[in-house]
Each structure stands twice: as C-alpha cells, then as structure tokens.
Amino acid sequence: MKRDSVSQALASALGELVREDILELKAYHVAPATGMVKLDAMENPYGLPPDLREAVGAVAASLPLNRYPNPNAPELKARLREAFALPADMGLLLGNGSDEIITMIAQTLARPGAVMLAPEPSFAMYRMNAIYSRMRYVGVPLAADFSLDVGAFLEAMQAHRPALIFIAYPNNPTGNAYAEAEVLRILDAATGFVVLDEAYHAFAGKSFMDRIAQYPNLMVMRTVSKLGLAGIRLGYAVARSEWIEQFDKLRPPYNVNVMTQFVAEKVLSRLDVLTLQAERIKAERAKLFAALATFKGLEAFPSEANFILVRVADANKTYGEMQARGVLIRNLHGGHPLLDQCLRLTVGTPEENQRLLEALQESV
Ligand SMILES: *Cc1c(COP(=O)(O)O)cnc(C)c1O
C-alpha cells in the first residue's frame, strides 16, 4: 500500500473496529515528575532502610526468573494473612495492584444491564471499569462537606438495584472516612456485592475487615501501594471463598510476578518499618493541616489518609504556579462539581512539606 492509503486504511479500521465507548475514553493521565517534589500520587516518601534494601537485593538475586511464578502465591498469602491479621476463614484474592482486582470484580458481575454504584467524587477507576466491562455506572453525589448522603444513596440503591457497590474508606480524593453507622446502613440494605476499598487503611486505623463475617456479600480490598510499595503492584482482597473462587476465574494466572511475590514477602516480614513510616506520615499530616489552616484564601478538608484536599480561589492558576516552582500536586478542578477549585496534596517528608507550603504560600 502507498503511505496515504495505509493511513486511510488505519483510520477507517480504528473507526470501525474499536468499541465506540473506548474511542471516546481518555487514557489515564500521569503528569511527568522528573526533578519535581512529587506530591501528586499518595506515595510513601520514605524509601526502605539500607538493611532491608540489601535483604531485598539478596532475594532478587536468588529468584528463578526463568520460571513462571506460582499462580497461587501461597507464601505471600500466608505472609499477608499473618502481617495484617486477616480473618482465617475467609478467602484471599491477589491482584497486580488493587486496580486489577477492581477489573476482575466488575467483569465477573457485569451481567447485561448490571449497575455499579459509588459515591461521587471517588476513585476514578471504579467508573472506568464500569465502562470497560459495560456495566451501567451510577454515581451518587456526596454532601457538600463530603460526608455520605445516606438518604440519597439508599434511594439510589432502591432505584437501581446495583450488582456492585464501591465505597472507598477513607475516600479518595476527599480524605474523609464516612461515619461507620452510615456505611453499616448501606451494608444492611445492600442486595448486591459491596467492596469497601481500604487503600488508605494504614493512615486511618479503621476497618470493616471484622464485618465480613456478618455480611455474606462484603469484600474488603486493600493495597500495599500507599503503605510504601507502589512500585511492586500488589493489591489484596478478602471475602468469602465462594466469591473469591468466582473472581479467581478471571484472574490472569501469573498476575503477581515472581519479583512482587518474593519482595513483598520479604518486606512484609518487616511490616514494622512500613507501619512506623505510616505513623510519621500521620504526624506530618497533622502538622501540614495545621499550617494550611493558617492560610488565607484556602480551605483544607480534614483527612484520615496520606493526602489533604484543599480548595483555593483559582486551582488552575495555583497548580500551574506550584508546578513552575517544582512542586507537583494533583489538580482536581473540572473533574466533578463538588471538586470545584480543589487540589490534592500528598503528605511528604518534613522537607517536602516545607517546600510545598512555601510554594503554596506564593501561589494562592
Ligand atoms: C490508589 C488507590 C487504589 C489503587 O491502588 P493500587 O493497588 O496501586 O492499584 C485503589 N483504591 C483507591 C481508593 C486508591 O486511592
């Protein structure tokens, strides 16, 4: 084919073959961060201590990289169960990040016409996965102070009979954990499957893990990403094994690779290191919040996660000026009406937070 006809044939093939809803989607955007103070993605800013790094290096050196991983990751599962005191009588599902677990659940429950329900604004991947799996997504707006509008949520449950409900607890990007009694009202009323996404568990110290025994259709999902291991991509979810068996059918057999399995096992044998870092982050969160509270022209929202949501006069302008000053944060303006003029600040090291505050002072 001639060059012109090749590009014409490509354009028409894309237009004819790619699903229309995928053509319309925008890919998940990650801002370039080289040389920046990176406070946009809720990463733990502290690396591993030297002795643990060396131990990880020794593990990596001894791995059989020529072999497929064990698809069931029994050692890692045992380590997770022990480290996080997971209920022994429940099933455990591992994902290449909890993102992959969201995908497996949505695909499993995506019967024709099935509805996914979630409070809004919340984690963007819920809605994305509804689109991928062709579930009908229904978002229920939070109250203006980002608390749950339980009445509206229960009404939406009545009206749409959702097969799947996602509740991030604490919520991303708002940082608050809803009142426990309100979440329980939702669990009591739910006829579908409910996932409590506890990605920020380490910073909240609250959990619904103990409630799984009480609710047959409840899953508690977590990740090691925010705890300090975002790079190895490991999420885990706990629910009755009857549920896990079904989701497991959609799991790519080698989804948790050899490096992840063995490095996670090693690092989680020293969970105390990560827990201590989480405690430091919580202490820094309190300091950062107190400092932000003194700013004029800025409203900071209380957080039980490792980030703080703020509202400024002109989010686009502040975001741009922060970026020019070498501090990368997340601009949420335009993403949802409730996030009007909002920016999300990840809690960093004391030095990073100082630079954040200085840059913010000059930018609001
Ligand atoms: C970050 C985040 C996740 C994704 O975690 P990974 O395990 O890194 O895929 C899931 N849910 C919420 C609410 C998050 O903020």
Side-chain angles (χ1 to χ4, degrees):
M1 277 199 237
K2 290 223 186 81
R3 196 176 284 185
D4 276 4
S5 44
V6 167
S7 46
Q8 258 179 26
L10 173 63
S12 73
L14 285 169
E16 281 167 27
L17 300 178
V18 177
R19 280 167 45 180
E20 282 178 44
D21 51 354
I22 303 297
L23 283 171
E24 281 168 20
L25 271 184
K26 285 203 195 89
Y28 191 87
H29 175 69
V30 178
T34 315
M36 307 279 280
V37 176
K38 192 174 183 311
L39 299 173
D40 66 328
M42 282 81 90
E43 292 145 328
N44 173 341
Y46 304 105
L48 296 176
D51 60 329
L52 195 46
R53 277 170 187 266
E54 260 177 51
V56 166
V59 166
S62 69
L63 289 176
L65 297 181
N66 54 321
R67 303 291 179 198
Y68 283 103
N70 184 325
N72 300 315
E75 289 96 352
L76 174 56
K77 280 186 179 169
R79 176 71 73 205
L80 284 164
R81 282 186 180 280
E82 189 200 314
F84 298 107
L86 306 181
D89 54 343
M90 296 296 162
L92 179 58
L93 178 69
L94 303 188
N96 189 317
S98 47
D99 279 348
E100 191 185 44
I101 297 177
I102 297 169
T103 302
M104 291 187 272
I105 297 166
Q107 288 185 352
T108 305
L109 302 181
R111 287 186 172 209
V115 167
M116 178 196 291
L117 193 73
E120 266 190 359
S122 190
F123 188 47
M125 292 314 290
Y126 306 148
R127 194 182 72 87
M128 294 294 275
N129 274 281
I131 295 171
Y132 302 158
S133 66
R134 295 178 157 157
M135 292 183 95
R136 188 160 67 81
Y137 175 80
V138 177
V140 182
L142 295 171
D145 64 354
F146 303 130
S147 63
L148 264 181
D149 185 343
V150 193
F153 205 87
L154 292 172
E155 257 172 53
M157 287 169 70
Q158 275 283 334
H160 301 287
R161 299 264 138 203
L164 178 55
I165 296 176
F166 278 106
I167 297 176
Y169 182 89
N171 189 37
N172 173 13
T174 58
N176 57 313
Y178 310 123
E180 186 187 22
E182 295 178 345
V183 177
L184 290 177
R185 282 181 68 190
I186 291 170
L187 290 176
D188 284 331
T191 51
F193 194 70
V194 183
V195 180
L196 277 166
D197 180 350
E198 298 186 344
Y200 299 96
H201 167 250
F203 313 99
K206 297 175 178 175
S207 176
F208 280 81
M209 193 65 82
D210 294 342
R211 299 280 185 176
I212 301 174
Q214 209 178 319
Y215 295 99
N217 306 333
L218 173 61
M219 167 178 272
V220 172
M221 181 175 76
R222 293 185 188 156
T223 174
V224 298
S225 295
K226 313 301 166 22
L227 191 57
L229 298 172
I232 70 172
R233 312 302 302 129
L234 177 67
Y236 63 97
V238 180
R240 280 194 165 60
S241 50
E242 289 86 344
W243 281 113
I244 301 295
E245 269 167 36
Q246 299 305 321
F247 302 134
D248 218 34
K249 296 175 187 173
L250 276 97
R251 185 175 62 84
Y254 305 117
N255 66 328
V256 181
N257 70 71
V258 169
M259 283 284 187
T260 298
Q261 286 190 30
F262 286 88
V263 170
E265 203 199 324
K266 174 52 77 182
V267 178
L268 292 177
S269 73
R270 292 291 314 281
L271 183 63
D272 58 306
V273 170
L274 300 181
T275 309
L276 204 63
Q277 292 178 343
E279 290 307 316
R280 288 167 73 182
I281 291 167
K282 282 164 70 178
E284 284 303 313
R285 176 182 73 197
K287 281 196 233 163
L288 186 59
F289 188 83
L292 290 168
T294 67
F295 276 45
K296 290 206 181 67
L298 178 150
E299 181 183 8
F301 296 93
S303 168
E304 298 191 61
N306 62 343
F307 59 86
I308 295 174
L309 185 77
V310 297
R311 179 170 281 132
V312 296
D314 186 340
N316 291 340
K317 177 170 160 283
T318 300
Y319 175 78
E321 289 181 12
M322 300 278 291
Q323 201 171 23
R325 289 180 169 84
V327 179
L328 185 63
I329 57 175
R330 186 70 190 257
N331 185 1
L332 299 166
H333 181 70
H336 190 278
L338 286 167
L339 296 175
D340 212 44
Q341 307 301 349
C342 282
L343 302 165
R344 190 185 62 197
L345 321 171
T346 302
V347 179
T349 63
E351 298 73 33
E352 289 173 332
N353 299 336
Q354 196 50 45
R355 280 201 55 188
L356 171 82
L357 287 168
E358 283 163 16
L360 200 53
Q361 191 99 63
E362 294 163 8
S363 307
V364 290

